[in-house]
């Protein structure tokens, strides 16, 4: 199941990655620029997010309408957004059209107009999206949890704050763009029915003379285990918790992934079985791994009605403790591996999934793992090694965030 | 790509689209049973039954069902709509026999009383989860108001009261009436052979008995009513408008979906330029939903409470002016290119193909390949859009608003 990953380094520091997928008609790309919301000035939270929206509203010699019309004509689905680490631009369409759309995207990231006329609508949109988050308890609790579980600026909501958004000026956006957006450590990952030499030449042509930018390192704050509650008159109490984990580049990374999955990554996983199936305490419950190059967590989430929330939390905590104390069984590990392997193989049916996988690997590891490598790493896991990792889970450092009519009792 | 179909002696219809290039195979049982088939005292029963199917059979309990599916790395799920309950699995080709056996087995469930009571709690949690989401509340309310006494107006989830009052015997009876093989379609897409599929189908479903079920198909007439629902703590306002549209039996459904794209795609549409681009709303989308002998256009808007009345007026103006300012050739071309490219991309996954194949067969008894669909989209002309606008104007519409103010009125 090995496919070749093609790599081309531009002299200005940008990396082009590609995977040719002969069985599909589509092609997709992911452009990751190391200019995410973590670089927002402290009094301009939301700037990177706004910049991503601004880009599409005019670049090169096209105005907003010309850009969107042209991309529509090429059938391109596209999205620009700010994550914590990156500003990212993704697009997908029929492979025959992808190269035609690249010059537009090159204009967008290199020559945006950042028209002052657009500032007011963009602020209005950003504020509405922050207000919308307040109306969505399931998402709100996760955003809040990340803020407490990751050190600043990694835990900050990339969408920013109302105050930050209101303070943004055209000058701020221009300055941010000039100082942070450039080819240094930028990753362009492409997957699908592509012609590699043509792609490589086009990318050189469009990005080869892009001037490298200076990279500012992030200064991370401190995190301490904590418990928080947001009071809101909802039907359900949202329960979210985070346990510190290890990063993707750590030698024990797969052990950490296994632990998260066995806890709550599939339908016979422990949370689902104990909380939902046996006790009927909730509808949605999960656990998963998420992280940046610097820090990672295992994130657990459940939503459950007020009178049953305490029991839900208690059972989740008991399951965490059982995992630390008793480790995992061979059959659980086998199940977890089967799920991950089959997801990996099925990824090859989607150019979008592959493009984001390539980009993600390069960001975390500076290389792309082959499917064989991942498969071999999964095969090398044993109940003993995974149990050992589970035993080291720092559950005393757990961060708990709840949202709903009343707080829950929790003791470490 | 090879298409096959057959009807087993017990009436079960089998359709398959086989593709040797695929990495996986999708398998789904489509049951013609949904909320529209329920009496008022049965509200929520189809969806509840969908949950109960995973609770096990004579030979397996719930944990075994989930564990066995997870062990083969299956991506499995089920969904219930107004008209259908669909049970589906995507697996690597070597696991098709096991996946088939499990799925077929659980479709003859035990429906044990104690499982019923536990799972009822899960459903009640699910209902409360959606009650905390303003968009879901608005959608449910608008659908109920628009369809009035028509069966499509019923809620798929049911209410806390209706589900709370359901009894196991009602479910057993409903299962008897609705899950007979002539009321089901088995759809398979991806890597497999017709011999294998027919072999598995005969082996695992030959003993199924039961007859076809009747469905009432009254013609809906949208009430075009107006209602404002107060959620005092919300920050944003949600507006939902519904008008009648062509049914899934109609050849106009491709034109209808292109019309919805022109009017309310998330980018480059009329609503995008009139509401999102100037920052008057942070969400504005139109979708076309086809039903058995019915259809509807849904408009969803999310905005600041201060803009809600004005946005309703704007919506009315945009829709009313469609007669005098109909879509242009260029509008149609852009929408078509977008829809076609998305269509190709989505259908690269066997799981998606299986869904489309099953739905086309259950109501239309027709095989429509991806290329056929592209041709049908290609064939849509401006006159088709104009005809739809004349028969199915988007305004007047049924309107529901949900949010912190009810001081709103229907635009004239």
């Amino acid at each position: 199941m090995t496919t070749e990953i093609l790599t081309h380094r531009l002299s200005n520091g940008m990396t082009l990655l590609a995977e040719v997928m002969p069985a599909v008609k589509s092609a997709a790309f992911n452009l990751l620029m190391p200019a995410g919301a973590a670089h927002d000035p402290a009094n301009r939270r939301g700037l990177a997010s706004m910049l991503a929206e601004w880009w599409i509203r005019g670049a090169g010699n096209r105005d907003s309408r010309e850009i969107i019309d042209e991309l529509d004509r090429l059938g391109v689905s596209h999205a620009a957004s700010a994550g914590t680490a990156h500003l990212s631009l993704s697009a997908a369409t029929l492979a025959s059209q992808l190269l035609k759309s690249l010059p537009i995207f090159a204009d967008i990231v290199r020559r945006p107009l950042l028209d002052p006329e657009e500032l007011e609508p963009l602020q209005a949109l950003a504020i509405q999206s922050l207000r919308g988050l307040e109306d969505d308890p399931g998402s709100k609790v996760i955003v809040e949890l990340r803020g407490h579980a990751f050190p600043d600026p990694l835990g900050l909501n990339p969408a920013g704050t109302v105050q930050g958004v209101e303070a943004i000026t055209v000058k701020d956006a221009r300055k941010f763009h000039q100082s942070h957006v450039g080819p240094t450590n930028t990753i362009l990952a492409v997957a699908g029915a592509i012609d590699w030499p043509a792609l490589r030449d086009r990318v050189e042509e469009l990005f080869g003379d892009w001037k490298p930018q200076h990279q500012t390192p992030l200064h991370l704050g401190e995190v301490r285990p904590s418990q928080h509650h947001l009071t809101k008159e909802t039907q359900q109490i949202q329960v979210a918790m985070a346990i510190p984990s290890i990063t993707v580049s750590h030698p024990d990374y797969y052990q950490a992934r296994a632990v998260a999955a066995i806890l709550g990554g599939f339908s016979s996983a422990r949370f689902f079985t104990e909380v939902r199936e046996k006790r009927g305490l909730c509808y949605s419950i999960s656990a998963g791994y998420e992280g940046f190059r610097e820090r990672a967590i295992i994130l657990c989430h459940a939503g459950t009605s007020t009178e049953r929330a305490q029991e839900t939390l208690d059972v989740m905590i008991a399951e965490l403790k059982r995992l630390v104390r008793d480790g995992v069984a061979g059959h659980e590990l086998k199940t977890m591996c089967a799920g991950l392997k089959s997801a990996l193989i099925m990824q090859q049916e989607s150019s979008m999934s592959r493009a984001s996988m390539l980009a993600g690997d390069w960001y975390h590891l500076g290389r792309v793992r082959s499917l064989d490598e991942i498969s071999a790493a999964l095969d090398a896991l044993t109940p003993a090694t995974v149990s050992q990792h589970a035993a080291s889970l720092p559950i005393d450092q757990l961060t708990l965030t709840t949202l709903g009519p009343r707080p829950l009792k929790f003791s470490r | 790509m090879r298409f096959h179909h057959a009807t087993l002696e017990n009436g079960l219809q089998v359709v398959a689209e086989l593709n040797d290039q695929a990495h996986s195979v999708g398998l789904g049982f489509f049951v013609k049973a949904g909320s529209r088939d329920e009496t008022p005292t049965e509200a929520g029963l189809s969806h509840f039954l969908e949950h109960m199917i995973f609770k096990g059979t004579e030979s397996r309990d719930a944990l075994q069902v989930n564990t066995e599916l997870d062990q083969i790395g299956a991506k499995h799920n089920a969904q219930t709509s107004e008209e259908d309950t669909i049970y589906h699995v995507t697996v690597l080709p070597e696991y098709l026999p096991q996946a088939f056996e499990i799925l077929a087995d659980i479709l003859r469930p035990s429906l044990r009383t104690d499982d019923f009571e536990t799972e009822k709690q899960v459903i009640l949690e699910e209902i409360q989860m959606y009650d905390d989401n303003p968009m879901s509340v608005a959608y449910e309310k608008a659908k109920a108001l628009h369809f009035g006494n028509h069966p499509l107006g019923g809620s798929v989830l049911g209410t806390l009261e209706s589900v709370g009052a359901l009894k196991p015997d009602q479910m057993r009876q409903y299962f008897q009436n609705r899950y007979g093989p002539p009321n089901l379609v088995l759809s398979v897409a991806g890597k497999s052979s017709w011999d294998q599929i027919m072999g598995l189908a005969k082996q695992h479903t030959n003993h199924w008995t039961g007859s076809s079920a009747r469905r009432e198909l009254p013609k809906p007439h949208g009430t075009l009513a107006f209602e404002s629902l107060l959620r005092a703590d919300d920050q944003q306002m949600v507006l939902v408008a519904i008008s009648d549209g062509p049914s899934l039996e109609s050849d106009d459904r491709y034109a209808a979906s292109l019309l919805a794209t022109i009017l309310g795609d998330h980018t480059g549409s009329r609503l995008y330029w009139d509401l999102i681009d100037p920052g008057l709303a942070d969400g504005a989308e139109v979708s076309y939903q086809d039903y058995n002998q019915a259809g509807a256009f849904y408009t969803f808007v999310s905005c600041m409470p201060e803009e809600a009345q004005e946005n309703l007026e704007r919506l009315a103006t945009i829709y009313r002016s469609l007669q005098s300012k109909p879509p242009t050739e260029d509008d149609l071309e852009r929408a078509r290119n977008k829809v076609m490219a998305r269509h190709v991309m989505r259908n690269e996954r066997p799981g998606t193909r299986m869904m489309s194949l099953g739905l086309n067969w259950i109501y239309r008894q027709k095989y429509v390949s991806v290329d056929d669909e592209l041709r049908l989209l290609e064939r849509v002309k401006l006159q088709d859009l104009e005809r739809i606008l004349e028969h199915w104007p988007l305004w007047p519409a049924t309107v529901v608003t949900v949010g912190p103010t009810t001081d709103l009125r229907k635009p004239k």
Side-chain angles (χ1 to χ4, degrees):
Chain A
M1 58 191 211
T2 296
T3 48
E4 195 191 351
I5 307 297
L6 302 152
T7 311
H8 176 69
R9 296 297 289 265
L10 279 70
S11 60
N12 56 16
M14 180 168 162
T15 303
L16 169 66
L17 306 167
E19 179 172 321
V20 181
M21 301 167 68
V24 302
K25 284 184 185 161
S26 66
F29 76 75
N30 226 324
L31 179 63
L32 287 188
M33 293 151 279
H39 297 281
D40 283 347
N43 53 0
R44 299 287 189 277
R45 297 273 177 232
L47 181 54
S49 282
M50 195 183 287
L51 184 60
E53 300 280 331
W54 218 325
W55 279 347
I56 211 88
R57 291 173 176 244
N61 53 13
R62 291 183 181 88
D63 68 13
S64 182
R65 200 176 274 270
E66 286 164 334
I67 288 182
I68 289 179
D69 282 0
E70 189 56 28
L71 291 175
D72 281 0
R73 255 178 226 114
L74 295 169
V76 180
S77 300
H78 52 92
S81 65
T84 301
H86 296 108
L87 268 168
S88 86
L89 196 61
S90 61
T93 184
L94 302 179
S96 57
Q97 309 288 18
L98 191 77
L99 281 188
K100 294 183 205 161
S101 76
L102 268 186
I104 303 173
F105 291 110
D107 274 345
I108 285 174
V109 297
R110 294 192 56 188
R111 290 170 285 276
L113 302 182
L114 304 180
D115 182 351
E117 295 259 306
E118 304 287 354
L119 177 60
E120 213 176 301
L122 286 168
Q123 279 172 322
L125 289 176
I127 289 166
Q128 290 181 70
S129 125
L130 287 166
R131 292 166 63 99
L133 177 66
E134 298 300 318
D135 296 341
D136 178 0
S139 305
K140 172 73 184 172
V141 77
I142 302 284
V143 166
E144 197 68 20
L145 175 77
R146 288 189 184 122
H148 299 301
F150 284 111
D152 282 356
L154 298 180
L156 298 171
N157 179 9
T161 60
V162 171
Q163 214 185 1
V165 167
E166 282 173 343
I168 291 171
T169 63
V170 178
K171 215 172 125 193
D172 294 329
R174 296 212 160 126
K175 189 171 163 214
F176 188 95
H177 189 92
Q178 267 160 19
S179 46
H180 295 291
V181 182
T184 310
N185 292 328
T186 283
I187 307 161
L188 175 60
V190 191
I194 47 165
D195 170 357
W196 168 245
L199 171 70
R200 194 188 48 208
D201 294 350
R202 199 78 177 111
V203 168
E204 270 292 352
E205 210 176 291
L206 294 168
F207 296 97
D209 61 349
W210 200 4
K211 295 274 172 293
Q213 85 282 23
H214 177 70
Q215 276 245 274
T216 28
L218 292 179
H219 299 288
L220 302 192
E222 297 284 318
V223 208
R224 253 176 284 149
S226 57
Q227 182 182 352
H228 306 268
H229 178 74
L230 300 171
T231 303
K232 195 171 159 77
E233 286 309 313
T234 46
Q235 301 283 317
Q236 290 193 314
I237 293 187
Q238 300 291 328
V239 180
M241 45 196 174
I243 304 147
S245 186
I246 53 179
T247 60
V248 179
S249 60
H250 193 285
D252 290 343
Y253 165 65
Y254 292 95
Q255 326 274 358
R257 284 297 301 267
V259 164
I262 288 169
L263 201 53
F266 41 84
S267 71
S268 59
R270 292 185 180 187
F271 275 169
F272 195 84
T273 303
E274 294 300 324
V275 182
R276 175 171 157 165
E277 292 296 283
K278 287 193 185 162
R279 295 177 178 84
L281 288 171
C282 68
Y283 169 71
S284 99
I285 183 159
S286 62
Y289 171 93
E290 67 171 56
F292 304 102
R293 211 156 39 192
E294 297 82 4
R295 296 289 161 86
I297 56 170
I298 291 175
L299 191 155
C300 313
H301 178 215
T304 179
S305 55
T306 311
E307 62 279 11
R308 309 162 84 211
Q310 186 64 53
E311 190 184 351
T312 299
L313 174 63
D314 293 346
V315 177
M316 288 170 85
I317 296 288
E319 283 307 312
L320 277 171
K321 289 184 173 160
R322 178 164 76 97
L323 184 67
V324 171
R325 191 184 60 230
D326 302 342
V328 307
H331 69 88
E332 290 177 304
L333 188 57
K334 250 171 89 176
T335 302
M336 172 263 159
C337 287
L340 242 115
K341 279 189 196 172
S342 105
L344 273 173
I345 294 171
M346 290 181 201
Q347 235 181 42
Q348 296 176 94
E349 292 164 339
S350 160
S351 52
M352 267 183 275
S353 312
R354 283 308 295 163
S356 75
M357 177 89 179
L358 299 186
D361 266 16
W362 197 269
Y363 158 66
H364 282 288
L365 302 166
R367 64 189 186 87
V368 176
R369 296 168 297 170
S370 69
L371 299 186
D372 288 335
E373 175 191 337
I374 300 173
S375 193
L378 291 172
D379 289 338
L381 296 174
T382 68
T385 59
V386 176
S387 298
Q388 205 182 346
H389 182 81
S392 73
L393 271 188
I395 49 172
D396 54 325
Q397 319 233 342
L398 183 145
T399 297
L400 173 70
T401 304
T402 51
L403 185 159
R406 59 166 187 257
L408 302 177
K409 286 199 266 315
F410 167 67
S411 58
R412 279 175 204 283
Chain B
M1 220 68 90
R2 309 177 305 279
F3 174 74
H4 302 270
H5 71 99
T7 303
L8 303 189
E9 274 172 33
N10 60 18
L12 176 72
Q13 301 174 74
V14 187
V15 287
E17 183 189 81
L18 306 174
N19 172 11
D20 295 333
Q21 299 286 308
H23 292 281
S24 65
V25 54
L27 164 73
F29 282 95
F30 292 63
V31 188
K32 212 167 155 181
S35 56
R36 71 178 296 167
D37 302 306
E38 298 161 357
T39 62
T41 54
E42 290 172 336
L45 192 51
S46 312
H47 169 256
F48 192 172
L49 175 55
E50 172 221 305
H51 279 233
M52 285 299 292
I53 291 285
F54 288 91
K55 287 302 212 176
T57 62
E58 297 299 305
S59 56
R60 298 185 158 91
D61 66 14
L63 182 60
Q64 280 171 297
V65 172
N66 287 332
T67 305
E68 288 179 35
L69 284 168
D70 287 340
Q71 275 167 347
I72 55 172
K75 247 169 66 183
H76 58 98
N77 211 338
Q79 62 195 66
T80 308
S81 69
E82 291 82 1
E83 327 205 88
D84 311 289
T85 313
I86 307 169
Y87 301 87
H88 53 95
V89 176
T90 306
V91 284
L92 301 183
E94 58 265 39
Y95 296 121
L96 180 63
Q98 283 110 301
F100 200 114
E101 191 275 322
I102 300 167
L103 208 54
D105 184 41
I106 63 176
L107 276 159
R108 299 293 112 176
S110 297
L111 304 179
R112 290 176 277 256
T113 301
D114 50 343
D115 288 337
F116 182 92
E117 296 306 332
T118 307
E119 198 58 23
K120 186 186 271 189
Q121 301 305 315
V122 174
I123 310 268
L124 297 176
E125 288 293 339
E126 190 178 356
I127 293 172
Q128 292 177 81
M129 178 180 85
Y130 285 108
D131 273 348
D132 278 338
N133 181 307
M135 191 53 94
S136 306
V137 171
Y139 169 72
E140 284 287 333
K141 181 77 204 169
K143 205 163 56 105
L145 188 65
H146 179 77
F147 287 104
N149 290 327
H150 188 277
L152 283 170
S155 158
V156 172
L157 288 178
T159 61
L160 293 176
E161 295 71 37
S162 74
V163 171
L166 289 174
K167 298 278 179 293
D169 277 337
Q170 276 174 290
M171 184 177 284
R172 292 176 190 128
Q173 190 58 52
Y174 186 84
F175 178 84
Q176 280 301 322
N177 296 344
R178 292 278 153 191
Y179 279 57
N183 211 36
L184 267 68
V185 167
L186 163 63
S187 167
V188 184
K191 194 168 180 174
S192 176
S193 72
W194 181 239
D195 280 352
Q196 182 187 31
I197 293 162
M198 285 304 281
L200 289 165
K202 283 179 188 153
Q203 187 187 346
H204 298 298
T205 69
N206 251 356
H207 62 285
W208 289 6
T209 55
S211 48
S212 60
R214 259 181 61 82
R215 169 176 285 172
E216 301 297 329
L217 291 166
K219 213 171 147 54
H221 295 285
T223 59
L224 310 182
F226 180 89
E227 206 173 310
S228 280
L229 210 68
L230 183 68
R231 280 172 57 100
D233 289 344
D234 282 2
Q235 299 213 1
Q236 288 287 96
M237 210 61 213
V238 175
L239 319 173
V240 177
I242 311 182
S243 57
D244 293 329
S247 73
L248 64 72
E249 292 79 8
S250 158
D251 288 337
D252 275 339
R253 63 186 191 284
Y254 292 95
S257 76
L258 287 174
L259 179 62
T261 307
I262 291 170
L263 296 176
D265 191 39
H266 67 275
T267 178
S269 62
R270 295 242 170 140
L271 293 193
Y272 174 83
W273 291 114
D274 288 357
L275 300 182
I276 310 264
D277 181 69
L280 299 169
D282 70 318
E285 293 194 31
V286 180
S287 67
Y288 159 65
Q289 177 66 52
D290 55 353
Y291 303 104
N292 196 181
Q293 301 293 349
F297 290 102
Y298 288 85
T299 303
F300 302 94
V301 175
S302 142
C303 63
M304 300 276 266
E306 300 87 303
E307 284 294 336
Q309 185 63 47
E310 279 293 307
N311 279 341
L312 284 175
E313 310 284 349
R314 290 181 187 109
L315 213 53
T317 309
I318 296 167
Y319 289 160
R320 265 201 236 99
S321 68
L322 283 169
Q323 304 278 2
S324 55
K325 257 177 34 193
T328 64
E329 205 58 73
D330 191 48
D331 289 334
L332 176 59
E333 200 50 33
R334 280 182 285 115
R336 192 191 334 257
N337 289 356
K338 259 196 288 201
V339 169
M340 284 169 69
R342 288 175 194 168
H343 192 72
V344 169
M345 290 189 277
R346 265 204 306 274
N347 282 288
E348 286 174 346
R349 287 189 183 273
T352 315
R353 263 323 279 156
M354 171 271 290
M355 292 296 269
S356 154
L357 194 66
L359 285 171
N360 267 312
W361 199 263
I362 197 164
Y363 290 106
R364 293 186 273 266
Q365 241 87 70
K366 241 190 197 156
Y367 168 60
V368 189
S369 69
V370 174
D371 288 341
D372 289 340
E373 301 240 19
L374 297 181
R375 268 192 291 278
L376 289 161
L377 285 163
E378 198 71 71
R379 212 176 285 164
V380 174
K381 302 226 170 4
L382 271 186
Q383 297 90 288
D384 299 316
L385 304 186
E386 281 160 21
R387 193 181 60 251
I388 289 176
L389 283 169
E390 201 176 312
H391 282 280
W392 310 103
L394 278 91
W395 201 268
T398 305
V399 175
V400 163
T401 76
V402 170
T405 176
T406 53
D407 186 19
L408 296 165
R409 63 201 179 278
K410 192 171 191 179
K412 291 257 165 56

